[in-house]
Amino acid sequence: MSTGPTHLTHIPAPEGVFPATAYTHVVVGTGRFIAISGQLALDENGALVGADDPGAQARQVFANLGRCLAAAGTDFDSVVKLTYFVTDMAHMPAIREARDTHLDPTRLPASSAVQVTALVNPSYLLEIEAYAIVPTEEAPA
């Protein structure tokens, strides 16, 4: 188990489960639950960022996730689960690179990656949704 916010416990390798290197198998937390809808590589004006560039799209998606977390009164330290929807699993290294600029690689959230045939627009290469838990004392007024 790794340390971090006191309201979260990361269990990277439960007994009998093969250890993961790119995510944590279990994250347990107490507090206020936050669900963030899948974010796309859209800027504040709705324009696509990074056409045909999974790295640029991933950076924009994580920036959007950060803005959504801030709107909920928290940051990436409270994320307990990420779900990646990608049109090609070959994009995962670029996505992980963008992720690692926002998340502590020693305290990664639980994660799932799903390859999909398409997203809502063929120009989108990835979509990421997040779940977070913040201590109830951090709840915005």
Side-chain angles (χ1 to χ4, degrees):
M1 288 187 253
S2 61
T3 61
T6 57
H7 70 288
L8 298 179
T9 301
H10 288 72
I11 306 169
E15 187 175 336
V17 176
F18 186 77
T21 58
Y23 58 91
T24 298
H25 280 288
V26 180
V27 181
V28 179
T30 58
R32 186 170 52 96
F33 178 76
I34 298 164
I36 299 175
S37 293
Q39 296 297 301
L40 298 164
L42 298 175
D43 68 13
E44 61 193 19
N45 298 311
L48 173 65
V49 173
D52 299 319
D53 183 343
Q57 287 198 23
R59 288 187 295 277
Q60 181 66 41
V61 167
F62 276 98
N64 290 348
L65 287 168
R67 291 179 185 103
C68 292
L69 288 162
T74 194
D75 58 27
F76 282 98
D77 285 344
S78 297
V79 172
V80 296
K81 174 76 163 68
L82 292 172
T83 304
Y84 305 91
F85 301 95
V86 297
T87 57
D88 187 337
M89 283 295 172
H91 301 326
M92 289 306 297
I95 294 167
R96 287 185 185 117
E97 183 177 328
R99 176 204 63 195
D100 289 349
T101 66
H102 296 278
L103 289 155
D104 178 350
T106 67
R107 295 184 51 257
L108 293 173
S111 298
S112 297
V114 181
Q115 183 168 328
V116 295
T117 303
L119 294 167
V120 68
N121 178 313
S123 298
Y124 303 141
L125 304 176
L126 61 124
E127 180 174 340
I128 304 172
E129 65 182 20
Y131 300 132
I133 299 175
V134 297
T136 52
E137 63 270 11
E138 288 184 22

